[in-house]
Amino acid sequence: MSETFDFTLDGATVTAQSGETIMQAADRAGIYIPRLCAHKELHPFGACRICTVLVNGRPQSSCTQPAAPGIVVENDTEALRNVRKSLVEMLFVEGNHYCMFCEKSGLCELQALGYRFGLLAPRYPYQFPKREMDASHPDIFVDRNRCVQCARCVRASRELDHKTVFEFSGRGAHKAIAVNADARLADTDVNGTDRAIDVCPVGCLLRKRYGFRTPIGQRKYDHQPIGSDIEAGHPPAAVNG
Amino acid sequence: MAAKPKVATASLAGCFGCHMSILDIDERILDLIELIDFDKSPIDDLKEFTGRCAIGLIEGGCCNEENVRNLIEFRKHCDLLISVGECAICGGIPALRNTLPLQECFDEAYKHGPTVYNPSGQYPNDPDLPLILNKVYPCHEVVKIDYHLQGCPPSADTIWAALTALLTGKPVQLPYELIKYD
């Protein structure tokens, strides 16, 4: 049996097990910390910083920061909500996100964060970058216009599929998802059933011939904000006891 | 009786879908005309402003100089200016050309497109045609915009909720299900 200890999250006492991150402990306690690159089946990566919390006053990404006894964590504050919203805005202006014809619309985690934060227009100018697409594979599209560089596909290909299909290339503004072949996804050992495709939070990696299967009005985020499952599954009231 | 506040609308680089969505408020349009008069708008076909407007609804972004002039004129005449729909907010479908050089767009449209018949290779250059901009610009990157209604198009309920709130002097507070980007 692992050791447990308490810390404070937005004034509530949360019990963590040793080795847990702040996000994992918060999830079990029914407190949602917004996130984009974090995925429960993958090792934490700390790419998007949307899960930033203040730990004893210092900003940390809660997906990578281990919980520790007695720390005081701030999550749902006006300042942090603003930071997270501005990060989502930057992701929207740095890519080419056309929700109106995207197959992932209604199921997209970036869009769902925008909805949850009540994002109506970004405060930054749109960049309209030129990004490459790859439709070479018979079963999978890569549309880098929508990539948010969360590295979920990179991690899932290694950790879940035991392959190395995806990796980053370039640095800074030139960073992009690359495939483990000279140029085309079709020349890799990726398979249409790979978990790396499922975990894409946006419409960058898509299975062909699956688009728009769920009617508008029945999609995951049409009625319930992202994170409601965490908040509903574990009522926060149980945390304090 | 005090004059009703005026609402003006315009479709810039849009598809008129957002205007269709305004009409999609159905019989509530009878309630709406109790509250407002339409001023310059494709709905009543008024071509010029007749006075100060309380609200201007802008559909579409700016793809040419006429759009910019029109938008600046709306800003001058309207107390509140609202971007309605994705094209006004992020450029939308017309902004797909923003990642391509303008020359390439012209060549595809007037020279090399599969259905183009243009033996002289001339581009349309009538002086009456507004000059096209290098990029399609969201409205809030051209003038100050006070509110944004997301959607392609925003649902009639979203437009109705925003208009009735503003016309009755309340803040626009859209519930979760009325903020949609598609």
Side-chain angles (χ1 to χ4, degrees):
Chain A
M1 197 179 141
S2 62
E3 187 194 341
T4 64
F5 54 85
D6 290 346
F7 68 96
T8 307
L9 179 52
D10 283 343
T13 303
V14 173
T15 304
Q17 291 164 1
S18 63
E20 267 187 332
T21 62
I22 293 172
M23 182 183 283
Q24 286 167 333
D27 280 1
R28 279 198 304 101
I31 298 171
Y32 175 65
I33 302 174
R35 76 217 47 188
L36 187 58
C37 73
H39 188 281
K40 59 183 184 302
E41 292 175 65
L42 303 171
H43 279 102
F45 194 69
C48 72
R49 317 313 279 190
I50 285 167
C51 71
T52 297
V53 293
L54 293 185
V55 180
N56 294 340
R58 286 174 55 116
Q60 304 280 4
S61 61
S62 60
C63 68
T64 55
Q65 184 70 19
I71 55 172
V72 177
V73 181
E74 292 169 62
N75 168 41
D76 196 21
T77 68
E78 183 64 39
L80 284 171
R81 280 196 295 270
N82 187 43
V83 165
R84 290 169 184 158
K85 192 174 173 192
S86 81
L87 287 171
V88 170
E89 289 171 36
M90 285 186 219
L91 289 171
F92 266 107
V93 301
E94 280 176 8
N96 296 309
H97 297 277
Y98 293 93
C99 295
M100 70 291 273
F101 60 77
C102 180
E103 291 181 19
K104 200 66 175 257
S105 189
L107 310 163
C108 167
E109 294 179 37
L110 178 68
Q111 184 192 57
L113 286 171
Y115 291 168
R116 182 171 174 120
F117 298 157
L119 171 57
L120 296 175
R123 66 194 89 168
Y124 310 109
Y126 283 94
Q127 303 298 304
F128 299 113
K130 188 160 176 58
R131 302 261 188 93
E132 298 301 322
M133 293 180 64
D134 182 348
S136 61
H137 195 279
D139 299 322
I140 303 164
F141 285 113
V142 185
D143 186 349
R144 294 183 181 86
N145 288 296
R146 300 166 181 162
C147 181
V148 291
Q149 301 178 352
C150 65
R152 279 193 193 177
C153 57
V154 176
R155 287 175 282 158
S157 189
R158 287 183 195 157
E159 297 170 22
L160 305 178
D161 301 328
H162 308 293
K163 301 177 184 178
T164 52
V165 174
F166 299 102
E167 190 48 276
F168 284 118
S169 70
R171 290 178 69 80
H174 304 290
K175 189 170 177 176
I177 281 288
V179 297
N180 192 0
D182 279 349
R184 307 187 318 153
L185 185 65
D187 300 329
T188 68
D189 58 351
V190 74
N191 190 303
T193 56
D194 277 6
R195 295 283 290 128
I197 315 305
D198 299 323
V199 296
C200 181
V202 292
C204 176
L205 295 178
L206 287 171
R207 287 209 172 80
K208 294 183 178 178
R209 300 175 297 278
Y210 276 78
F212 309 113
R213 287 206 168 181
T214 317
I216 290 173
Q218 295 173 26
R219 301 169 303 182
K220 190 170 180 187
Y221 302 119
D222 278 344
H223 304 290
Q224 293 299 320
I226 189 169
S228 334
D229 49 346
I230 290 171
E231 290 166 332
H234 309 269
V239 177
N240 299 312
Chain B
M1 187 182 132
K4 288 186 274 186
K6 292 178 181 179
V7 173
T9 77
S11 181
L12 308 179
C15 70
F16 265 91
C18 294
H19 273 77
M20 292 296 116
S21 204
I22 295 173
L23 298 180
D24 203 28
I25 61 175
D26 295 332
E27 73 277 8
R28 285 174 289 185
I29 202 160
L30 298 174
D31 299 329
L32 187 62
I33 53 168
E34 294 292 318
L35 288 173
I36 61 138
D37 281 325
F38 279 106
D39 201 82
K40 176 175 173 163
S41 167
I43 291 174
D44 57 10
D45 209 22
L46 269 187
K47 309 291 189 199
E48 302 296 337
F49 281 101
T50 63
R52 188 80 197 154
C53 292
I55 297 174
L57 301 175
I58 304 292
E59 166 190 341
C62 292
C63 77
N64 62 35
E65 54 170 354
E66 187 196 27
N67 296 151
V68 175
R69 273 201 298 270
N70 210 351
L71 183 58
I72 291 171
E73 202 192 345
F74 264 74
R75 181 69 274 182
K76 277 184 193 154
H77 285 85
C78 301
D79 296 339
L80 291 176
L81 208 50
I82 308 179
S83 273
V84 182
E86 290 288 313
C87 297
I89 295 171
C90 75
I93 303 286
L96 283 169
R97 77 166 164 92
N98 285 5
T99 54
L100 301 167
L102 194 53
Q103 185 68 47
E104 230 173 271
C105 300
F106 271 112
D107 287 347
E108 181 67 16
Y110 298 113
K111 281 185 177 170
H112 308 312
T115 58
V116 173
Y117 176 74
N118 182 9
S120 71
Q122 215 182 10
Y123 299 139
N125 61 356
D126 191 286
D128 282 345
L129 290 176
L131 286 174
I132 202 157
L133 302 179
N134 64 333
K135 280 199 315 184
V136 178
Y137 291 85
C139 291
H140 64 263
E141 292 184 18
V142 178
V143 298
K144 159 86 176 150
I145 297 286
D146 302 295
Y147 289 94
H148 299 84
L149 298 180
Q150 283 274 6
C152 185
S155 70
D157 290 340
T158 306
I159 294 169
W160 177 251
L163 275 184
T164 48
L166 290 173
L167 290 166
T168 51
K170 298 187 184 113
V172 180
Q173 284 172 330
L174 296 173
Y176 178 81
E177 283 167 299
L178 291 189
I179 300 177
K180 290 282 173 283
Y181 302 161
D182 59 1

